[in-house]
Amino acid sequence: EGGGGDDSGDGIGQQQLAFANEGQFLLISESSVRSVAERMVEIKEAERTITYQRFRPNFVVSGLPAFHEDQWFRVRFERERASAGDREKSKNDDGSSKGTSSSRRGKRSVPMNVIGPCVRCQMVDIDPKSGDRKSKLLRTLASFRKTENKIVFGVLLEQVAHTGEDNADFLQLLSVGDRIRPMLGGGR
């Protein structure tokens, strides 16, 4: 008895969803992974090369200093949006391009809030290819990536609610090669 919900016995209204993940998406940077891998070699903890797969991210960014993502409060994924005319281009007989014009040009943008650092667990010690648990990656992270007594690496993102005429473009998939525009500061 008690506990609320529906007493019909079908379980509806009595269950709550629970997820292990703390956020919708995980973003890490290649330079941060390299920094951790180099540290493991320095302290002689590396049995093999540590790659981004150990962290099971949704997004991996490059071209930034190590741990730069720790300073972000929002990111915007951007891509030049091709016009319908660009997609319909064809070749003339002489090999030159011909196409129709379109007014739909500009940047497509997908904004996401950074909700905080990703707290890491022993899963990073498991090689995703072999299943081996011999790594000391979590121990290495603990030696220099502790915040409020939690081991952290990478940042968690949540999709920003979006409305307006570009809503259809917002719902498109993100792609390899999209640019990322981080917004720095304490805007959390």
Side-chain angles (χ1 to χ4, degrees):
E1 290 232 40
D6 145 357
D7 291 330
S8 65
D10 63 5
I12 297 173
Q14 296 177 359
Q15 298 177 355
Q16 291 182 346
L17 291 177
F19 296 100
N21 294 338
E22 298 172 324
Q24 289 178 309
F25 304 103
L26 171 61
L27 179 143
I28 64 172
S29 73
E30 288 180 343
S31 58
S32 298
V33 173
R34 270 193 308 276
S35 177
V36 172
E38 289 167 4
R39 187 174 290 253
M40 288 186 74
V41 169
E42 287 173 12
I43 61 174
K44 300 190 179 14
E45 291 287 351
E47 301 88 26
R48 61 184 64 88
T49 303
I50 298 299
T51 64
Y52 72 87
Q53 288 94 343
R54 284 290 179 112
F55 300 98
R56 293 155 177 86
N58 302 98
F59 304 112
V60 180
V61 297
S62 61
L64 300 166
F67 309 109
H68 192 262
E69 61 272 22
D70 293 345
Q71 302 169 34
W72 302 353
F73 77 94
R74 179 174 282 167
V75 296
R76 189 173 292 279
F77 293 88
E78 296 178 340
R79 178 185 324 153
E80 286 295 324
R81 179 174 48 207
S83 68
D86 291 341
R87 290 188 298 269
E88 295 169 10
K89 281 187 179 180
S90 61
K91 299 284 183 183
N92 290 322
D93 290 337
D94 65 0
S96 63
S97 294
K98 69 177 181 180
T100 58
S101 64
S102 172
S103 62
R104 298 267 325 184
R105 289 196 66 83
K107 286 191 171 145
R108 179 193 51 80
S109 177
V110 178
M112 294 195 187
N113 288 327
V114 175
I115 58 175
C118 181
V119 176
R120 305 318 305 219
C121 69
Q122 65 186 353
M123 288 298 293
V124 297
D125 283 338
I126 300 171
D127 185 316
K129 291 181 182 173
S130 69
D132 287 346
R133 294 177 182 246
K134 296 178 185 173
S135 175
K136 304 285 189 233
L137 179 54
L138 189 63
R139 179 182 293 173
T140 302
L141 286 172
S143 72
F144 76 109
R145 297 289 303 166
K146 268 192 172 176
T147 301
E148 297 176 10
N149 213 27
K150 295 178 182 175
I151 303 165
V152 297
F153 185 87
V155 292
L156 298 168
L157 306 176
E158 68 180 356
Q159 194 171 1
V160 175
H162 184 78
T163 59
E165 84 175 48
D166 286 341
N167 198 40
D169 288 337
F170 177 77
L171 297 175
Q172 290 180 12
L173 296 176
L174 297 172
S175 297
V176 172
D178 283 355
R179 289 197 167 141
I180 186 167
R181 183 170 303 220
M183 294 172 204
L184 304 177
R188 288 182 200 157

